[in-house]
Amino acid sequence: MQFGTKSGILEKARSQCVVVGVYENNHFSDSATLLDKASKGFIKKVLSRGDMNGKIGQTLMLHDVPNVTSPRILIVGLGNIETTDGPKFLLVAKAMIGALSKSSAKNALCCLLEAKAGTESDAWKARRLVEQSTAGVYAFNEMRGKATKADGTPEKIDFLIAKSGASKVKKAIIEGSAISAGIDNAKDLGNMPPNICTPTYLADQAKLLAKNYQTLTTKVLEEKEMKRLGMGSFLSVSQGSDQPGKMIIIEHKGAKNKKEAPHVLVGKGITFDTGGISLKPPAGMHEMTYDMCGAASVFGAMRAVAELALPINVICVLAAAENMPSGNASRPGDIVRSMSGQTIEILNTDAEGRLVLCDALTYVDKFKPATVIDVATLTGACVMALGSHPAALYANDDELADNINAAGENTRDRVWRMPLWDEYQPQLNSAFADMTNTGGRPAGSVTAACFLARFTKKYRWAHLDIAGVAYKAAGSNKGSTGRPVALLTQYLIDRAQEAK
Ligand code: BES
Ligand code: MN
Ligand code: ZN
């Protein structure tokens, strides 16, 4: 789907559908009023029958409205004009794309930038319309026996703009499109089944990505190399699987100064998490195909960064391995040495995410990073604590936490900051090693973050536990959500802006 801008006389527009908003109690937006006037009150007359009254989520498709060139007018409910806000605008955008994709209009002229959304700008609204429209038509059909395509997807949506302020909207469309492509990419990786999406597959995808963008280069550390580097913690996870583990590094050199400190993203890429010898119960185990969604999200953000050619340096690292039980798998009780030199007593082989991440986090210190953010479906406890709305945010630096929070609020890809207090650290005490890999049941998401904090003391670091937000386990929109690609990319767009 493509997005663009148009200006001109609305009733003469040649688009296959014109989209206008109406607030609650049939309070007409400017564009709706204009079309109503052109049609000599036709729209008001139709709405007075009561088929829709402007509530959010409502839509009504009108055909062949008199004196209007476009064959269709889609009326979208904008809700109460007094109480509009950003989150409600997302529902408006969703309703629009839902109705458009049910119609056979191949293109549309969207007049919803004029819709009030609290204090949000036109550019903000354009970004959301692009993102919601792309998300609204996403489908994962790659694994069907026969090729399937979604028929109703419009090819192009243009936003009606007044000439002034157009440049900001145009920039928003470019950013929204790049981020949406990144989100789609992350969803595809997340949804790809674990028999295909192995660590090797992720490495191949990274190489493919780097082929498509000039600023990108990839490097893949194989197990042999990781062994040489002393990554005993990572390897204790991958050793149980026939699939070799991979540490995948993608580098974007966008800054004028090639030596400028990079922003580093690290993703948990467990392509399937059985739990290992501490085997998970069967009922929900299939969900662990999504245990590489952290890696998928940093991959998607990287794609967006490259697409936007952001003038900063960014490096992402995908810590990719499969967690399987086997004769070679690590046992509860094993003690391993991490790349940092710290030893870990593995009390539960199902706490494998932190084991692969800690070595990746030690490894990235060599880049002398400006900031490091790791993203991981790390704990079931996080889902219990926060559910599926925000990701849990942990940080050893307040400014970094604030910047991530701001990017999350802006994109509505939100986070909630959690404590990373030293008081929790004793839960990781081990009788024989420097630490255990589990902190017991209380505050499981916090103690997982506290574990990672022991490996990230040398730089400004944040951790996002996305276990609750990365995927929907069931229902009509089952599958990977592509979160937090939007947050991560916005965070980096903001850093690029700052660098100017
Ligand atoms: N990948 C899981 C966490 C998870 C659970 C993600 C549910 C999404 C939904 C992780 O590897 C795991 O198994 N964590 C354990 C840690 C425990 C053994 C300390 C957990 O949360 O139970
Ligand atoms: Mn696990
Ligand atoms: Zn896991």
Side-chain angles (χ1 to χ4, degrees):
M1 203 170 8
Q2 303 279 311
F3 299 91
T5 55
K6 271 192 181 161
S7 43
I9 301 164
L10 197 50
E11 63 270 31
K12 297 263 189 306
R14 292 185 175 282
S15 303
Q16 293 183 12
C17 183
V18 175
V19 184
V20 298
V22 168
Y23 298 95
E24 235 166 78
N25 304 319
N26 292 344
H27 177 117
F28 275 36
S29 64
D30 289 350
S31 296
T33 303
L34 217 141
L35 293 178
D36 188 55
K37 285 216 174 103
S39 66
K40 305 215 166 57
F42 181 90
I43 301 175
K44 280 226 160 97
K45 194 178 85 190
V46 171
L47 291 199
S48 72
R49 293 189 188 131
D51 289 9
M52 97 162 256
N53 58 15
K55 284 223 165 68
I56 285 192
Q58 282 186 328
T59 57
L60 186 67
M61 185 70 88
L62 305 179
H63 292 263
D64 299 327
V65 174
N67 309 321
V68 175
T69 306
S70 172
R72 298 180 192 80
I73 296 179
L74 175 65
I75 318 246
V76 181
L78 302 176
N80 186 335
I81 192 166
E82 303 296 331
T83 57
T84 63
D85 61 17
K88 288 187 192 125
F89 188 78
L90 296 192
L91 303 178
V92 171
K94 270 189 195 145
M96 173 191 82
I97 190 63
L100 277 180
S101 47
K102 275 195 208 111
S103 86
S104 49
K106 283 282 155 254
N107 56 61
L109 177 60
C110 169
C111 308
L112 294 181
L113 294 185
E114 67 182 19
K116 231 184 113 215
T119 55
E120 303 295 358
S121 67
D122 286 6
W124 187 91
K125 286 179 264 186
R127 270 280 295 272
R128 305 295 81 81
L129 283 163
V130 170
E131 290 163 3
Q132 291 299 320
S133 297
T134 312
V137 301
Y138 174 83
F140 182 67
N141 286 325
E142 269 174 74
M143 300 308 295
R144 307 264 182 220
K146 268 195 258 162
T148 34
K149 64 172 194 324
D151 298 331
T153 302
E155 282 155 14
K156 180 135 198 251
I157 298 178
D158 287 305
F159 300 115
L160 184 79
I161 47 163
K163 288 246 162 56
S164 62
S167 67
K168 280 186 181 161
V169 169
K170 284 182 180 157
K171 182 163 166 270
I173 291 172
I174 291 169
E175 288 174 354
S177 302
I179 290 173
S180 293
I183 290 173
D184 277 2
N185 203 161
K187 284 179 177 173
D188 283 347
L189 292 174
N191 291 334
M192 195 62 83
N195 56 328
I196 292 174
C197 183
T198 59
T200 304
Y201 177 88
L202 287 176
D204 290 344
Q205 291 298 305
K207 286 175 200 155
L208 209 66
L209 185 74
K211 257 202 192 133
N212 289 333
Y213 293 99
Q214 247 201 331
T215 59
L216 298 185
T217 50
T218 14
K219 175 172 159 173
V220 178
L221 300 184
E222 306 291 340
E223 287 186 350
K224 204 169 136 209
E225 177 72 1
M226 288 192 265
K227 196 161 181 191
R228 207 183 55 74
L229 289 167
M231 295 184 173
S233 184
F234 178 102
L235 292 166
S236 77
V237 177
S238 64
Q239 74 186 29
S241 170
D242 289 349
Q243 295 293 337
K246 311 262 175 185
M247 192 75 79
I248 303 157
I249 300 132
I250 315 174
E251 213 165 323
H252 163 84
K253 283 224 182 294
K256 275 203 197 86
N257 173 6
K258 298 282 167 247
K259 295 224 163 88
E260 193 177 286
H263 294 278
V264 173
L265 307 175
V266 176
K268 172 179 172 182
I270 299 296
T271 60
F272 194 76
D273 179 14
T274 63
I277 296 300
S278 312
L279 196 64
K280 284 182 182 295
M285 196 196 280
H286 60 91
E287 286 182 31
M288 291 301 118
T289 180
Y290 301 115
D291 213 19
M292 36 57 71
C293 281
S297 73
V298 307
F299 186 100
M302 206 63 184
R303 183 198 165 115
V305 163
E307 178 74 34
L308 293 170
L310 290 186
I312 51 175
N313 294 332
V314 183
I315 299 174
C316 83
V317 177
L318 320 181
E322 191 182 45
N323 188 22
M324 296 289 267
S326 81
N328 201 36
S330 58
R331 295 144 289 250
D334 281 4
I335 294 179
V336 296
R337 182 181 297 273
S338 68
M339 185 183 177
S340 72
Q342 301 176 93
T343 60
I344 304 160
E345 182 184 18
I346 301 174
L347 288 183
N348 189 325
T349 65
D350 197 11
E352 84 297 339
R354 63 198 80 181
L355 295 176
V356 297
L357 287 173
C358 71
D359 279 340
L361 288 166
T362 301
Y363 179 77
V364 302
D365 183 50
K366 74 177 203 145
F367 299 123
K368 299 288 158 254
T371 61
V372 177
I373 304 174
D374 80 72
V375 189
T377 48
L378 203 60
T379 65
C382 181
V383 190
M384 293 302 113
L386 295 174
S388 63
H389 303 296
L393 163 65
Y394 299 87
N396 66 9
D397 182 279
D398 289 341
E399 190 189 325
L400 173 58
D402 290 347
N403 287 338
I404 291 172
N405 188 56
E409 291 296 325
N410 181 354
T411 54
R412 301 299 299 172
D413 186 357
R414 300 168 80 193
V415 298
W416 190 257
R417 193 167 180 191
M418 303 273 277
L420 191 67
W421 297 340
D422 286 340
E423 283 87 336
Y424 291 99
Q425 285 289 353
Q427 286 180 242
L428 297 170
N429 286 349
S430 159
F432 306 124
D434 296 335
M435 70 196 88
T436 67
N437 76 329
T438 66
R441 283 178 53 83
S445 176
V446 179
T447 54
C450 285
F451 179 97
L452 298 177
R454 295 177 179 223
F455 299 84
T456 56
K457 293 200 171 130
K458 293 194 187 139
Y459 46 71
R460 298 170 66 206
W461 160 76
H463 158 62
L464 295 173
D465 192 336
I466 60 164
V469 304
Y471 65 94
K472 297 256 177 284
S476 61
N477 53 358
K478 172 182 159 122
S480 169
T481 61
R483 288 180 68 181
V485 171
L487 175 153
L488 293 171
T489 313
Q490 187 62 50
Y491 169 80
L492 294 167
I493 289 172
D494 293 345
R495 302 289 75 70
Q497 193 63 39
E498 219 172 50
K500 267 190 197 159

